[in-house]
Amino acid sequence: GFNNDFLIKTQDDWAIDSNDKSPNEHHHLSSAFRILREEENNFIHRMPLAQQQSLRKMVIDMVLATDMAEHMAIVSRLKTDLQKRLENPDDGIGDEVPESLKTLVLQGAIKVADIGHLYAAHDVHIKWSERLEEEMWLQGDVEKERQMKVSFLMDRDKPGVTKSQPGFVDFVVRPLFETWVGCFPECKVLMDRIEANYQYWKSKETSN
């Protein structure tokens, strides 16, 4: 597939339909809800309407959170709205957790899952990194064919994502997972696995 930036630059139908806002995510959401609306697929039809509306809003909020353009904003909110409150007993969340905070936790959880290959077993992580690299190169191939500027890390004649993993972890992944573990300490095993895979890429970087 193509990333959101490509869809917007090429004025793809998905970008037009979403007014250039998270075209991939909006397309996936609208397609999913159209399928769900069909009688043979509508497994929530017995839910009260208010619950259906609540579920729809929650799903939309979660899927839109997977757009990397929203990454830093969500990490920042996890730090300020959740982590600091959990660390300070005087500002405890209490029994009544605001809906906005529940949504934020779910958004954080889906982001953690969305890049799950980073804490997968080493061989699985390598395979997914290589697949991601090839997918990005395929977009770069199309950009070359259209005489567009080739996007960062998408030129197969230059180093791809498998050569930039340490930087990606340091600047994108680590802030998310350190915050997540700060909120939910039992998730530290994920950070430990990320660190193990990170050291592999660092060693390759050094040897090269």
Side-chain angles (χ1 to χ4, degrees):
F2 302 108
N3 66 13
N4 285 336
D5 188 53
F6 178 90
L7 297 175
I8 292 168
K9 285 180 179 178
T10 58
Q11 298 185 351
D12 185 89
D13 285 346
W14 293 8
I16 299 298
D17 291 342
S18 65
N19 296 313
D20 294 347
K21 296 184 184 298
S22 307
N24 272 304
E25 290 76 15
H26 274 111
H27 172 76
H28 297 149
L29 282 163
S30 60
S31 297
F33 281 111
R34 285 193 180 96
I35 292 170
L36 181 61
R37 195 170 56 184
E38 296 172 2
E39 185 176 352
E40 66 271 24
N41 301 321
N42 192 350
F43 62 90
I44 64 171
H45 70 281
R46 293 184 183 275
M47 291 174 61
L49 180 59
Q51 288 186 11
Q52 291 188 38
Q53 293 171 335
S54 177
L55 175 64
R56 174 173 160 80
K57 180 181 183 305
M58 180 179 68
V59 171
I60 290 171
D61 288 341
M62 290 175 66
V63 173
L64 291 180
T66 63
D67 183 350
M68 286 303 292
E70 301 297 320
H71 181 80
M72 296 311 298
I74 291 175
V75 172
S76 178
R77 288 177 55 215
L78 283 169
K79 287 181 178 179
T80 58
D81 296 356
L82 183 61
Q83 187 177 8
K84 286 186 177 179
R85 294 179 69 175
L86 289 171
E87 291 175 347
N88 189 342
D90 295 332
D91 293 333
I93 294 174
D95 295 330
E96 292 296 324
V97 181
E99 289 299 319
S100 60
L101 197 55
K102 294 179 184 178
T103 297
L104 178 61
V105 171
L106 290 172
Q107 288 176 322
I110 200 169
K111 288 187 67 61
V112 166
D114 195 34
I115 50 177
H117 75 90
L118 288 157
Y119 51 80
H122 180 69
D123 60 330
V124 175
H125 168 60
I126 298 300
K127 287 180 181 178
W128 277 103
S129 296
E130 291 172 347
R131 289 173 179 174
L132 175 61
E133 185 172 60
E134 180 60 28
E135 182 179 29
M136 294 175 72
W137 280 343
L138 287 172
Q139 176 175 315
D141 294 344
V142 174
E143 289 172 334
K144 287 180 182 179
E145 290 172 5
R146 297 190 179 195
Q147 298 184 324
M148 298 169 61
K149 179 181 178 181
V150 180
S151 301
F152 181 57
L153 298 176
M154 296 192 182
D155 190 337
R156 68 172 65 248
D157 297 322
K158 298 178 181 179
V161 295
T162 58
K163 303 298 188 294
S164 63
Q165 284 292 320
F168 179 66
V169 171
D170 285 336
F171 294 105
V172 178
V173 177
R174 200 179 297 279
L176 169 63
F177 279 84
E178 287 179 347
T179 303
W180 190 253
V181 172
C183 298
F184 306 104
E186 291 185 6
C187 291
K188 184 177 181 298
V189 63
L190 303 182
M191 195 70 235
D192 293 341
R193 291 176 180 174
I194 288 172
E195 189 63 34
N197 287 326
Y198 173 84
Q199 291 304 325
Y200 165 79
W201 295 113
K202 286 294 287 186
S203 67
K204 291 205 40 131
E205 192 176 67
T206 303
S207 63
N208 292 334

